[in-house]
Amino acid sequence: MKRLFIMLLIACSAITTISADPLAAPQKKPESVILTLNAIIQKFGQNEGQVYSVNRNPNTNIIESSTKIVPFHCSLNPIRNDNVLNAVAINFPKNEPLAYQFLHIQPGSNENFSLKVITNNGTSQGTQRIRTNKNQNMWLMCCKNPENPQLRDAYAIVWEDDGVDVDGTVYMITSLRPDMYEKTMISDNSFFRIDGRVGDDLKDSLYVFYVADNAEELNAIADDAFVSTMPVVNKRFTVDIALDKPKVGRIRTVMPDGSLCKLWTNIDIVPGETYRITTHNGWYEEDRDYENRVGRYSGKSLLNDVQRRGVDDQSGEAVVADAVPVVGGNTDARQDWRNSLAPQYQKQLQLKSEVIRMEIEKIMANYQLIADEMEDLRDPYKISTIFEKNLKLNKELDKKFQDIIKFAKECHCPASQMPELYKEILKFYTEQNKGVNEFYKEFGYSRETKPARKLQEFLTKQTEKYLKDLEKSLTE
């Protein structure tokens, strides 16, 4: 939905300079760049969203990678921002001779950029997304680490402005040099990848990933035995793990105080496969296609029965996470209620939930089509047609909402849990309403936007209805 927040773009070119021989770069630090980036962090750095991580070789205890990612916010006015953006434009070119890779991408270019982060003596490969959209200005340079020639120091800054203020991120990342390892990692078929997203109900900034040969080893794995860190950047996280055979893995959240979350997610990991996951507060959206082909539902899973059921906690019990938020959650009352249902009713609940999940995905996919069209041709007829489809889909979805509410009441869902169900429905309608408002900000009110107005009228009406139902449920 956030992609509906689209700006008019200025076409600029990408400027790329990559030296031919990384070994020729002098072993000196780019002091001017480091000083500039640290000044930005000190003066304008934001606490929320910061990522700090260090990864050491388990055998030698030598640092193989470190990550420092700091969002910042400042004025576009040079007087008010202490000329820090001008300093970036001066000092990156000034230190360019020390780099074996140098890159500047200006707003308007369609070129995005990700940085490889290799650890574990070359067996684990992650990706840091640096530039993610064409509104951003990016400077990046990669240098040999002066203390350890096997390491690469990467310094980057990316930002975009709205004409008044600037929002950006500083990256200072040290890892094993990709050019020394990627020749031995030619085949993608030997890698398992996690393509992760963080839900809007979470502010996680760092995950860790564990690997074991089987379920028994995974149950006994130590807290500090993770094989890779997965920093969250722009609500995304990823990791690549080299495998010689199918194994099992575990995703675990690092809390703001540095402790590990008591909940974790277990998955089967298979060479050559990618697992797409979206994390939420106490549950996650699984990769159903993956699970059906090679995971929990395939008959090939290496996890045990408890591990296959959902999200584990330290008690060894599974916290079942449904695929749809309106019937999800991990409270004891709701879990006890689901478990108390006869098998045929549990199956009905599962099917109703799956139908709702599919309808929600259709609606969200249509909003993505609108966002794509606004970035491209901006065909008013096509955009109007998609809004008409979403109005129809929302009306059909509401019937399914009513059906699952009726089912829950008939099956004696605890009264304390009904408000949560209404809140999730309201959240879905509210997010859509926000998206339509962003569309109006960019596209304006006109005859062509009539279907969008009709959709918003429906969303507003449904919001009012479920607010009343919520208020009523709170008094019961």
Side-chain angles (χ1 to χ4, degrees):
M1 201 76 74
K2 294 179 181 176
R3 291 192 61 194
L4 290 176
F5 199 3
I6 300 172
M7 302 170 63
L8 293 174
L9 305 176
I10 302 174
C12 297
S13 62
I15 304 171
T16 307
T17 305
I18 303 178
S19 66
D21 184 8
L23 295 177
Q27 292 192 13
K28 292 175 61 178
K29 288 186 177 183
E31 299 291 352
S32 298
V33 166
I34 295 172
L35 186 64
T36 300
L37 296 182
N38 281 332
I40 292 173
I41 291 172
Q42 183 178 359
K43 295 178 182 179
F44 305 112
Q46 305 289 295
N47 290 328
E48 185 175 330
Q50 289 192 16
V51 175
Y52 293 91
S53 68
V54 175
N55 189 62
R56 297 178 184 272
N57 186 293
N59 298 317
T60 65
N61 204 40
I62 295 175
I63 291 179
E64 287 193 344
S65 70
S66 64
T67 300
K68 184 177 184 180
I69 303 173
V70 182
F72 70 91
H73 176 86
C74 65
S75 171
L76 184 61
N77 188 321
I79 297 175
R80 296 180 61 191
N81 69 26
D82 293 338
N83 282 301
V84 291
L85 301 183
N86 292 336
V88 169
I90 293 171
N91 289 322
F92 266 82
K94 177 181 177 181
N95 284 162
E96 184 271 332
L98 303 179
Y100 68 80
Q101 183 177 23
F102 186 86
L103 183 62
H104 179 205
I105 305 178
Q106 297 186 27
S109 170
N110 289 319
E111 183 178 356
N112 291 333
F113 186 84
S114 296
L115 193 70
K116 290 182 180 179
V117 178
I118 295 177
T119 57
N120 294 335
N121 202 30
T123 61
S124 297
Q125 178 180 318
T127 302
Q128 289 288 353
R129 288 161 54 87
I130 307 295
R131 189 177 192 262
T132 58
N133 70 69
K134 58 187 177 182
N135 298 329
Q136 294 173 327
N137 196 333
M138 186 195 86
W139 291 86
L140 173 137
M141 64 188 306
C142 295
C143 314
K144 285 192 305 179
N145 182 277
E147 287 78 29
N148 185 348
Q150 292 186 335
L151 300 180
R152 174 203 62 192
D153 295 333
Y155 304 94
I157 182 170
V158 60
W159 74 84
E160 60 183 299
D161 67 81
D162 59 6
V164 178
D165 294 320
V166 172
D167 286 294
T169 307
V170 171
Y171 300 85
M172 304 174 79
I173 299 172
T174 296
S175 67
L176 294 173
R177 277 173 44 194
D179 60 290
M180 298 182 66
Y181 291 91
E182 55 193 7
K183 290 181 180 179
T184 65
M185 302 190 304
I186 298 174
S187 174
D188 288 340
N189 292 330
S190 65
F191 280 92
F192 165 80
R193 166 168 288 190
I194 289 178
D195 180 9
R197 293 169 174 79
V198 178
D200 291 338
D201 54 341
L202 282 180
K203 294 183 179 180
D204 291 346
S205 61
L206 181 64
Y207 296 93
V208 290
F209 191 68
Y210 302 79
V211 174
D213 284 340
N214 52 54
E216 183 177 343
E217 289 187 9
L218 189 62
N219 269 347
I221 205 162
D223 285 349
D224 61 356
F226 53 85
V227 300
S228 184
T229 58
M230 298 185 291
V232 177
V233 181
N234 297 323
K235 290 287 189 178
R236 300 288 296 269
F237 61 95
T238 186
V239 71
D240 291 286
I241 303 294
L243 297 175
D244 57 359
K245 62 180 180 180
K247 297 185 179 184
V248 291
R250 172 173 293 169
I251 302 170
R252 201 166 178 185
T253 306
V254 179
M255 306 303 287
D257 62 359
S259 64
L260 290 168
C261 180
K262 67 178 182 179
L263 300 178
W264 54 71
T265 303
N266 297 322
I267 57 176
D268 290 277
I269 57 177
V270 179
E273 294 284 349
T274 297
Y275 194 95
R276 295 172 175 83
I277 184 172
T278 300
T279 58
H280 292 279
N281 188 11
W283 62 286
Y284 67 94
E285 296 176 38
E286 66 181 10
D287 189 331
R288 185 57 63 92
D289 175 69
Y290 180 101
E291 299 288 11
N292 286 331
R293 288 186 298 103
V294 295
R296 288 185 291 159
Y297 315 129
S298 67
K300 307 172 186 177
S301 177
L302 299 178
L303 299 170
N304 63 34
D305 289 340
V306 172
Q307 292 169 344
R308 281 198 296 269
R309 287 176 58 195
V311 181
D312 283 338
D313 63 19
Q314 291 176 324
S315 69
E317 297 296 326
V319 181
V320 177
D322 292 342
V324 185
V326 294
V327 293
N330 63 340
T331 61
D332 292 339
R334 194 177 303 178
Q335 184 61 51
D336 290 344
W337 168 67
R338 282 198 296 265
N339 291 339
S340 71
L341 295 176
Q344 65 268 31
Y345 293 124
Q346 290 186 24
K347 188 65 175 178
Q348 286 185 42
L349 180 61
Q350 180 183 353
L351 291 174
K352 291 177 186 294
S353 299
E354 182 64 17
V355 169
I356 289 175
R357 183 188 67 82
M358 293 171 62
E359 291 298 307
I360 289 176
E361 287 183 352
K362 288 179 184 177
I363 292 171
M364 300 311 294
N366 280 341
Y367 284 121
Q368 183 63 56
L369 290 176
I370 293 172
D372 292 342
E373 185 63 27
M374 291 184 70
E375 286 185 304
D376 191 14
L377 298 176
R378 289 176 166 241
D379 182 346
Y381 175 76
K382 185 175 181 180
I383 293 174
S384 296
T385 301
I386 299 173
F387 272 119
E388 288 175 351
K389 290 181 180 178
N390 265 5
L391 175 58
K392 182 177 180 180
L393 286 171
N394 268 284
K395 289 181 177 179
E396 292 299 318
L397 178 62
D398 189 64
K399 294 178 183 178
K400 296 175 175 61
F401 282 153
Q402 290 296 313
D403 178 60
I404 204 166
I405 289 171
K406 180 180 178 183
F407 177 85
K409 290 181 177 179
E410 289 177 348
C411 291
H412 308 291
C413 179
S416 61
Q417 297 304 306
M418 292 303 296
E420 300 304 315
L421 191 152
Y422 290 124
K423 287 178 183 179
E424 292 295 341
I425 296 175
L426 282 166
K427 180 179 178 181
F428 181 62
Y429 284 133
T430 300
E431 290 300 316
Q432 288 190 76
N433 231 324
K434 289 179 182 178
V436 178
N437 283 333
E438 296 297 338
F439 168 79
Y440 283 138
K441 288 180 182 179
E442 179 62 26
F443 211 84
Y445 290 84
S446 65
R447 179 172 57 85
E448 289 80 5
T449 61
K450 185 176 180 180
R453 292 200 300 273
K454 286 187 176 181
L455 172 60
Q456 190 170 49
E457 289 172 0
F458 176 79
L459 295 173
T460 301
K461 179 180 177 182
Q462 297 308 106
T463 299
E464 293 173 350
K465 180 179 75 173
Y466 284 107
L467 275 173
K468 291 180 181 178
D469 289 341
L470 172 61
E471 292 173 357
K472 183 179 178 181
S473 68
L474 289 171
T475 61
E476 291 179 349

